[in-house]
Amino acid sequence: MHVLLVFVDGLGLGTSDETVNPLIRFHTTFFEMLFGRPLTQEIGRFVSSRACLVPVDARLETAGLPQSATGQTALFTGINAAKELGRHVAGFPGPQLTEFIRQYGIMKRLVDKKYMATSANMYTPNYLNLVAARKRRHAATTLVILEAGQPLRSLAELLNGDAVYQDLTNEMLAEAGFPVPLVTPALAGRRLVEIACRHHFTMFEYFQTDRCGHKQDWQKAAHIVGRLDQFFWAIWQAMPANMTVIIASDHGNFEDFSVRTHTYNPVPVIVFGCRCTEAAEQIRQLTDVTPTIIGLLERNENSG
């Protein structure tokens, strides 16, 4: 069995108002195929043998706007990091959140159980040097990889089709001067599935949604919605029968251009593919995603 977790930063469940919600203004055929309507909070909890949608409260039982560091830590560890700290933490994890990831990160827990776990994201060749020079900081997703003792995927792997860049198309790499070919979002989706087929667990992070939401750039939002639509369609069409795909987020933002901040909207946990109903029935909170994935793999191994 293979589990693919696609993390889409800052994607909440908004309203059906096209004046504020890019997911309504710009047509998304993939979500409409799954649920019979656009991806909004009006769908509610949706469970079927084809696909499932679980709206999750990103506030984590903590006052204040949901934020990235605590939300991602909760998603990737199963620990309610915001509640433990008594507040939401924006941006990048500090020592306490890093310790949660060190002890409970999903990749470390799976690697310790002898499962093959990986991240498909490619990192630029100078990334670790920039971190060492304190010009970059590790996001929670990167710490999940490193604390599991796993390598960051390289430019060489990207060129071999064995990694996917965070913008899906490599355009940002090319603009930065890296000698890379441009790819379609559909090809990125197919490559991601190919990587996931070689591992028990694979995760991939896409964060242009959150960046765009803060800037309220409608032109870029149109590109993002279109690319994600193609990307998810390709994953759906390429995934084998024994793969479970989970799409999840940490907080709302992109779904509401009436504000530049994060939102209080619920976030979607979307599950499709193998045993999707079983997985969805286990999820009520953001902290349920990690134990659900581990449980799926363990039950599959025991039943085999």
Side-chain angles (χ1 to χ4, degrees), residues 158-191:
L158 181 83
L159 294 173
N160 287 332
D162 199 26
V164 179
Y165 194 55
Q166 55 82 12
D167 71 351
L168 305 181
T169 62
N170 297 342
E171 287 183 17
M172 296 177 71
L173 285 172
E175 289 171 1
F178 291 98
V180 296
L182 300 182
V183 299
T184 65
L187 179 56
R190 291 192 294 270
R191 286 178 173 173

Side-chain angles (χ1 to χ4, degrees), residues 240-251:
N242 62 343
M243 181 173 290
T244 304
V245 179
I246 300 176
I247 303 170
S249 190
D250 51 350
H251 56 74

Side-chain angles (χ1 to χ4, degrees), residues 49 85 114 140 149 173 180 188 196 204 216 250 277 292 297 300 303:
S49 59
L85 270 58
K114 308 305 180 185
L173 285 172
V180 296
F204 176 76
Q216 298 180 326
D250 51 350
T277 303
T292 295
L297 290 171
N300 180 74
S303 64

Side-chain angles (χ1 to χ4, degrees), residues 232-297:
F232 290 135
W233 267 115
I235 291 172
W236 171 270
Q237 293 165 345
M239 66 179 183
N242 62 343
M243 181 173 290
T244 304
V245 179
I246 300 176
I247 303 170
S249 190
D250 51 350
H251 56 74
N253 181 355
F254 183 75
E255 80 287 355
D256 187 352
F257 272 28
S258 70
V259 295
R260 290 185 180 271
T261 63
H262 296 171
T263 70
Y264 290 105
N265 287 329
V267 297
V269 176
I270 298 166
V271 191
F272 56 87
C274 176
R275 297 164 69 179
C276 68
T277 303
E278 176 186 342
E281 288 175 347
Q282 307 299 315
I283 298 171
R284 292 291 184 277
Q285 305 294 333
L286 206 58
T287 51
D288 293 332
V289 174
T290 281
T292 295
I293 291 171
I294 295 173
L296 278 175
L297 290 171

